[in-house]
Amino acid sequence: MDLFTSRRKDHSTTVGASSAGDPVQNASQSVHQTLDRSAANSTSSQQLESSFTNALFPGPARGSSGVSRPPEEPSYRTEYQPPRGPPPHKNEYAALQGLPTQQNEHAPILQQIAGQVEYAPPDGPPPRNNQVLEEPPPYHDWTVVPDNSLLPPPPSLGYKQSPNNNATLIDADRAHDWCDRNPLIIPHQPTPAQHASAINGDVTLVLPREYHGDLTRVRMGIWKGSTRAGSNDSCLISSLPLYFAHLDSPFKTQLSKTIYFEVKIHSLGSKHRSADGSVALGFCAVPYPTWRLPGWERGSLAVHGDDGRRYVNDTWGGKDFTSAFRVGDTVGLGISFSCPDFPPEYSESTPVNVALKAEVFFTKNGRLEGGWNVMEQLDANDLGTHGLDGNFDLYAACGSFGQVDFECIFTRRDWLWLPR
């Protein structure tokens, strides 16, 4: 009895065995020790069986009835009870009513309820990614029609062709190819005499090959032209520029520069059809195809008398501008160059690739009729403003077709309208 564990004590107090380790291993060692001692003392087989059973299943002794009780649960089996209360949930807060709150909404409120620590949500609505709620815009009654009387007029729309007279597609394609082969010439430095002649209007008109008619000088600065019926499109160009980019540019003088001339119409077309002829006045950079009216090709602008439309590097149908010219009208066209609103820094040389502000104005019979800004938004079919930005010399151009009689006036004292 002294070799085994007491039935009422823990198995760790086994005599002759270690107090720690596996209980089964300790029982096995006790069995071997019992067998060895039983053999030495000539113990009966019944005692050996009883000793083996008591070593493996310690418990109370058999009763007098011979029925053994079931062994008790080994004490080395440890069981864990679940914690009290419901299982925890991640980021779950319980709202507590009647409990004190803290001023800091980002610090949770700890409360001890039923053995659990629960968190109350902060005051106020949930955050919205730091977005500040703004006041809605004021209500606008869309049924009220706004007053557009003070708004500027809408831009003119371009046309595919003129309603009266149009050149052939062959002439247009030939002019485009010619312009591609002959780029605009760079501005040249004029002599003082040339510059003075341009300012005083002492210029001549160069007679092109396409011009069929007469061209005579009335006096200094006044030229009279007369074409025959059926004449094709042609363009008379002044012998000297009216605007010298080297000397007249506002980038150099820091002053505005205005160029202007007038055309007086004596007759248009034949006696039976006035639409058989008309004139166009404008400006162009050279070289320019003289079988095309001014305004149709690059580096040119003009107002045409047959449809009253304006053309700016526009080889199509132009844009609405004024009424058609009539016999007896004196029409004038000018450009005023000035520095842009945000000019570059001034230096001794003219800035490169910087456009001047160019305002075109048109007069009829001594009164200002209207104008436009050359650098305004152009139609998709236009050719841009190359040559008209103040970086090239500009010449006076007077175009005609059909049978017409007219005068080109370049002297200031003979103008009906005087530029400021």
Side-chain angles (χ1 to χ4, degrees):
M1 194 65 183
D2 57 346
L3 298 177
F4 300 98
T5 305
S6 174
R7 294 189 179 95
R8 300 175 191 242
K9 296 183 180 179
D10 188 72
H11 65 275
S12 62
T13 59
T14 304
V15 178
S18 175
S19 61
D22 189 8
V24 178
Q25 182 179 2
N26 294 338
S28 178
Q29 292 177 358
S30 300
V31 170
H32 286 84
Q33 293 176 3
T34 305
L35 292 176
D36 292 340
R37 292 186 180 183
S38 298
N41 298 327
S42 301
T43 309
S44 65
S45 59
Q46 184 178 1
Q47 293 176 345
L48 292 175
E49 181 182 358
S50 177
S51 300
F52 181 79
T53 301
N54 293 332
L56 291 179
F57 303 101
R62 294 177 180 267
S64 59
S65 63
V67 180
S68 62
R69 292 177 295 179
E72 295 181 356
E73 188 72 19
S75 60
Y76 58 83
R77 295 185 181 180
T78 304
E79 296 184 0
Y80 298 91
Q81 297 296 329
R84 297 166 55 188
H89 297 279
K90 187 177 180 180
N91 297 329
E92 183 179 17
Y93 299 92
L96 304 179
Q97 298 182 357
L99 297 178
T101 59
Q102 298 181 5
Q103 296 297 328
N104 186 0
E105 62 180 3
H106 300 289
I109 303 175
L110 301 179
Q111 299 292 339
Q112 186 72 23
I113 298 179
Q116 293 183 344
V117 178
E118 299 185 356
Y119 297 84
D123 296 335
R128 297 178 177 269
N129 297 329
N130 297 329
Q131 294 181 359
V132 180
L133 298 179
E134 299 180 355
E135 293 293 333
Y139 173 74
H140 177 72
D141 189 1
W142 60 271
T143 61
V144 178
V145 178
D147 183 12
N148 57 4
S149 60
L150 301 179
L151 298 178
S156 300
L157 299 178
Y159 295 94
K160 293 294 184 181
Q161 61 183 6
S162 173
N164 297 329
N165 297 278
N166 295 277
T168 63
L169 185 60
I170 296 177
D171 289 341
D173 293 338
R174 184 162 63 98
H176 295 339
D177 295 339
W178 186 90
C179 291
D180 293 338
R181 296 192 307 267
N182 299 274
L184 298 179
I185 63 175
I186 61 175
H188 70 281
Q189 183 74 32
T191 63
Q194 291 175 333
H195 194 222
S197 297
I199 294 175
N200 296 327
D202 188 9
V203 297
T204 61
L205 293 176
V206 179
L207 192 65
R209 182 178 57 184
E210 296 80 11
Y211 183 83
H212 300 288
D214 300 326
L215 182 64
T216 57
R217 182 181 183 225
V218 178
R219 60 178 182 270
M220 187 191 79
I222 300 178
W223 291 82
K224 186 177 187 308
S226 178
T227 60
R228 295 187 292 270
S231 296
N232 295 326
D233 299 335
S234 64
C235 183
L236 301 173
I237 301 176
S238 61
S239 58
L240 292 175
L242 300 188
Y243 170 82
F244 290 94
H246 263 299
L247 296 181
D248 299 329
S249 174
F251 283 133
K252 287 205 169 188
T253 63
Q254 302 187 23
L255 299 173
S256 62
K257 172 65 178 179
T258 301
I259 56 176
Y260 177 77
F261 76 101
E262 291 181 350
V263 173
K264 187 175 182 178
I265 301 172
H266 296 293
S267 67
L268 293 174
S270 62
K271 295 181 180 179
H272 304 286
R273 279 182 57 86
S274 61
D276 289 341
S278 188
V279 297
L281 69 163
F283 299 93
C284 68
V286 296
Y288 190 82
T290 53
W291 67 92
R292 298 284 283 172
L293 296 181
W296 279 351
E297 301 301 329
R298 56 102 169 92
S300 67
L301 60 84
V303 176
H304 291 196
D306 60 331
D307 53 15
R309 295 177 179 176
R310 61 180 176 91
Y311 294 77
V312 181
N313 293 355
D314 185 356
T315 189
W316 299 94
K319 298 178 181 179
D320 292 330
F321 181 63
T322 186
S323 59
F325 300 168
R326 297 180 299 179
V327 176
D329 286 342
T330 298
V331 293
L333 191 68
I335 305 178
S336 179
F337 292 99
S338 60
C339 291
D341 295 333
F342 301 98
E345 295 182 359
Y346 293 104
S347 60
E348 296 181 358
S349 60
T350 302
V352 181
N353 297 329
V354 178
L356 290 166
K357 183 188 295 185
E359 296 288 342
V360 183
F361 56 93
F362 174 77
T363 65
K364 181 181 289 186
N365 299 325
R367 290 184 294 183
L368 187 65
E369 287 284 311
W372 72 90
N373 189 311
V374 175
M375 304 305 166
E376 70 182 0
Q377 185 176 0
L378 300 177
D379 188 72
N381 297 322
D382 294 345
L383 302 178
T385 59
H386 180 60
L388 303 172
D389 51 8
N391 294 323
F392 291 89
D393 296 341
L394 288 181
Y395 296 72
C398 181
S400 64
F401 69 90
Q403 184 177 358
V404 293
D405 292 323
F406 61 92
E407 285 184 1
C408 291
I409 305 171
F410 297 100
T411 50
R412 185 182 181 90
R413 64 176 179 269
D414 297 311
W415 292 337
L416 295 183
W417 188 85
L418 296 179
R420 297 171 182 170

